[in-house]
Amino acid sequence: MYRKLLGATLFIIAGAAGAQQETMKECSAIEDSLERLVCYDNLAKRQQGEPQDEKAKGRAKAEEMKARGQSKAEEMKAKAKQRGKRSDNAAEQNFGMEHKGSQNNTLERLEVEVASKKQDPYKKWQIELTNGQVWKQIDSRGYFSWDDDDTYYIERGALNSFFFGREDSNRRLRVQRIK
């Protein structure tokens, strides 16, 4: 008697597993990743509920889940398109591009005259120019040779950086404008 009951139970479980495999195959056949995910989610929700005995019932559910997944995916795609259209604000559109737009009419190199120079307690140079600009050294180079008769320049570097140098020397200081 127990053998018959055990055999019947195994037969029912095997039938339910076969139906589940078919619905999983149908979900895996969906090409759109979002629709496929929704189909698998619906399958998992259904498994937590009541077990199913018939293959036909499983197929009908799989088709229903596929249709529901497609409609849900279309809704999410429409929402994503709306989010993309919503960012018409000029500040949002210009974010990260501030320095790109102003490079059309900027100088790459500026020849300057040094009015005064001094070192701070950390041995970094602070340079005041005759045009009123004040620049400070931001790298850690220790030595920079000064010659009052030479021509000095400030040139633009990569990533919005600036270098202060002397015409007859290959040595440059990375500088930042403070005034």
Side-chain angles (χ1 to χ4, degrees):
M1 171 120 158
Y2 290 115
R3 287 183 184 172
K4 289 182 183 179
L5 184 60
L6 181 64
T9 305
L10 288 175
F11 184 72
I12 290 172
I13 291 173
Q20 179 184 358
Q21 283 181 344
E22 285 183 25
T23 55
M24 288 187 76
K25 284 181 184 177
E26 289 175 3
C27 286
S28 66
I30 299 172
E31 289 186 26
D32 187 22
S33 61
L34 186 59
E35 292 175 14
R36 186 174 48 249
L37 177 64
V38 171
C39 181
Y40 282 131
D41 286 346
N42 291 336
L43 182 64
K45 285 179 186 175
R46 192 181 74 205
Q47 276 184 338
Q48 291 175 353
E50 60 187 59
Q52 297 194 356
D53 300 342
E54 303 169 8
K55 291 182 181 181
K57 196 174 185 181
R59 287 188 196 130
K61 286 281 189 180
E63 290 298 321
E64 179 186 331
M65 287 187 294
K66 183 177 179 181
R68 201 179 321 155
Q70 288 174 345
S71 65
K72 186 78 169 181
E74 289 172 5
E75 287 175 21
M76 293 180 83
K77 287 178 186 176
K79 285 180 183 178
K81 284 182 183 177
Q82 286 178 350
R83 270 187 257 128
K85 290 180 183 176
R86 231 184 287 163
S87 63
D88 291 338
N89 189 357
E92 287 180 17
Q93 294 296 326
N94 201 22
F95 181 74
M97 298 294 287
E98 296 91 2
H99 65 282
K100 296 236 180 222
S102 64
Q103 283 186 347
N104 294 340
N105 58 359
T106 58
L107 297 172
E108 292 298 316
R109 182 178 170 131
L110 178 67
E111 293 198 11
V112 296
E113 291 182 36
V114 177
S116 68
K117 58 188 181 287
K118 63 181 178 180
Q119 276 187 312
D120 65 5
Y122 299 106
K123 304 287 184 195
K124 301 220 178 183
W125 289 101
Q126 186 168 342
I127 307 157
E128 186 173 342
L129 305 178
T130 56
N131 61 6
Q133 295 179 357
V134 179
W135 295 78
K136 71 174 182 175
Q137 176 184 357
I138 57 174
D139 64 358
S140 59
R141 302 221 174 152
Y143 178 73
F144 186 79
S145 61
W146 295 93
D147 187 10
D148 292 336
D149 297 332
D150 251 347
T151 306
Y152 294 97
Y153 63 89
I154 296 177
E155 68 180 351
R156 186 177 300 274
L159 300 173
N160 240 3
S161 62
F162 296 94
F163 294 98
F164 178 83
R166 195 176 79 188
E167 198 64 45
D168 294 332
S169 175
N170 287 336
R171 225 175 249 276
R172 302 184 305 176
L173 299 174
R174 185 180 296 260
V175 293
Q176 180 180 27
R177 185 172 175 180
I178 57 175
K179 187 174 175 186

